[in-house]
Structure formats: C-alpha cells, structure tokens
Amino acid sequence: MQAALRLRLGPVRRALRGSEAVPRPRCVGPGAPPAPRCWSCGSALPGAERLPHFCPGCRALQPPGPRPDLFRLMECDRSFRIDAQQLQRRFRSLQRAVHPDRFGQRPPEEQLYSEQHSSLINRAYQTLLNPLSRGLYLLELNGVEPAQETDCDADSVFLTEIMEINEKLAEPKNEDILEEIETLIKVKQEELTKEVAAAFERDDLREAKKLLAKMKYFANLEDKLKNKKIPS
C-alpha cells in the first residue's frame, strides 16, 4: 500500500520540484523610472559612467543632467578645502573633451549639448574656485538657505567697520586710501576663509552661514573698490 502511495505521489513531487526551479519574476514598482538611453542610438547608459556622459555604443555626447553635483563633475571632494591646481587641471581636461569647436560637424543635438556642457563646466569651475561661492554652494547642498543682509544686524562692531569703509570709498578718489582699503579687504577675506573652513570641518553650518554673510559684505566692498579704481 505504501509503495502504491509513493507511485501516485511521485509525479506530484516532481512537478513541485520543477516549479521551484523556475525563477520568479522580479517585482518592479510602478513608479520606477525607465533606464536612461542614448538619444542617438538607443543604447542603455550606465549610471556610473564618468561625467560628462558619452554613449558607450556610438560615443554620442549626452545632455547634462538637470541638477549636476558640481563637486562630482570636477572630481573634487565635497569639502570647503579644495586643491586649486587639481581643479584647474580637471577644468581644462573637460573643456578639451566637450568644447563646441570639437562638435562643429556633429548633429545639431550634440552641438547644443556641447554648449550646455561647456557652460556648465565654466560655472562649476568659477563656483568652486571662489571661496564665497563655494561655501554658499556647500550650504545649498546641505539644505541651508544663505544668510540675508539683516542676519548680521546683531554684530554692531562688524557693521560699523563696513560702514566706515563705505564712507572712505565714497570720498574723492585717493590712491593711497584705495590701496589701504584693498589690503584690508584682502586680509579680512583671508581670515574669514580660514574661519569658514574650520566651521565646515566641525560641521557647524550655522557658524559657516554667518561667516559667509560677512564674506559677502567684503565681496561687495571689493566690487565697489574695483569700480572706484577704473580710470574716469
């Protein structure tokens, strides 16, 4: 009787084992974005490809992303301290690869994308090279709104210093005074740059925001100074 039962159950067991061997289809969420593909040949684009994107199939230049990470684009650590020489080398390398002069004989789409990439690379270079814009960009990446002018109102000593420099710039042009102001602004910006770097390194975004607001005041004074030195 047991032998007969095993004979009857044998096909059922084999069927069950066969069904287990068939891989189950993976569930893909309805909101999953489609894999990016080349606009020219339709090939799949690997997400980990180095920036800027070139199609691995036809080598067509792909459009820049909507919100690229400028640090990643320029192969820099996301840090306030950067290697200016490394940044410059990366800038030149990228511009050689995507400059519009290289795409004059390519389809209109690639010509447009090369212009967009070239503009983006220029913006990334200038943003990360300048301490003030680099710091403000780091705040943005951390979801921190930049300080407004009224945020420094509590620091009366600082605002008095700024007002005195503005008054000197409003006086008739005097080369000695302008040189004195230029030296003062340079020293102040160097001091603030070191303080901002230290604030970011200890992850004190509130202090970095306050210091960057002060740097912005001195940057405005620097612009006024340059305009004052222009020959009339």
Side-chain angles (χ1 to χ4, degrees):
M1 180 176 179
Q2 290 180 348
L5 182 60
R6 283 196 296 269
L7 288 173
R8 287 197 300 271
L9 291 177
V12 176
R13 288 171 177 166
R14 287 194 295 272
L16 288 172
R17 285 195 297 269
S19 65
E20 290 174 354
V22 177
R24 296 181 179 180
R26 290 182 297 175
C27 178
V28 179
R37 292 191 172 274
C38 173
W39 62 268
S40 179
C41 70
S43 298
L45 299 173
E49 189 179 2
R50 292 181 65 187
L51 299 174
H53 292 287
F54 286 89
C55 174
C58 68
R59 299 303 302 163
L61 179 63
Q62 304 301 303
R67 290 182 63 84
D69 185 323
L70 303 186
F71 284 98
R72 181 177 174 227
L73 173 63
M74 305 306 290
E75 294 186 345
C76 295
D77 293 333
R78 190 180 282 192
S79 167
F80 185 75
R81 295 187 188 273
I82 62 167
D83 186 330
Q85 292 184 343
Q86 177 185 334
L87 178 66
Q88 187 178 61
R89 287 194 296 268
R90 174 65 172 167
F91 168 72
R92 291 174 176 172
S93 174
L94 287 174
Q95 284 293 18
R96 283 196 298 268
V98 303
H99 196 275
D101 289 348
R102 296 193 59 184
F103 293 83
Q105 304 302 317
R106 302 292 293 174
E109 292 88 346
E110 275 192 278
Q111 294 181 29
L112 173 62
Y113 299 151
S114 71
E115 292 174 1
Q116 292 174 345
H117 276 291
S118 183
S119 176
L120 171 63
I121 292 164
N122 280 329
R123 178 167 66 86
Y125 178 68
Q126 296 299 331
T127 298
L128 300 187
L129 183 65
N130 181 274
L132 174 58
S133 56
R134 182 169 68 247
L136 293 174
Y137 181 59
L138 271 174
L139 289 183
E140 178 187 336
L141 291 177
N142 283 280
V144 179
E145 291 289 334
Q148 304 300 319
E149 291 185 1
T150 54
D151 293 344
C152 289
D153 286 350
D155 194 339
S156 58
V157 175
F158 172 78
L159 291 176
T160 299
E161 182 180 23
I162 296 298
M163 183 177 64
E164 290 175 351
I165 297 174
N166 268 313
E167 289 175 351
K168 289 183 178 180
L169 286 173
E171 295 175 358
K173 189 172 181 179
N174 183 307
E175 294 295 339
D176 291 337
I177 292 178
L178 294 182
E179 185 175 344
E180 177 186 329
I181 294 174
E182 184 175 19
T183 301
L184 174 63
I185 292 175
K186 182 179 179 181
V187 170
K188 291 290 185 180
Q189 289 289 53
E190 288 176 352
E191 291 175 353
L192 286 168
T193 298
K194 292 178 182 178
E195 293 176 16
V196 171
F200 274 117
E201 287 173 358
R202 63 176 182 268
D203 202 27
D204 190 346
L205 299 182
R206 182 177 180 180
E207 179 67 11
K209 175 179 176 177
K210 183 173 70 173
L211 293 168
L212 287 165
K214 292 183 177 182
M215 287 185 72
K216 196 170 183 179
Y217 271 99
F218 280 109
N220 291 335
L221 289 175
E222 194 171 13
D223 289 339
K224 292 181 180 179
L225 177 63
K226 289 179 181 177
N227 292 331
K228 186 81 172 182
K229 295 177 71 174
I230 295 176
S232 54

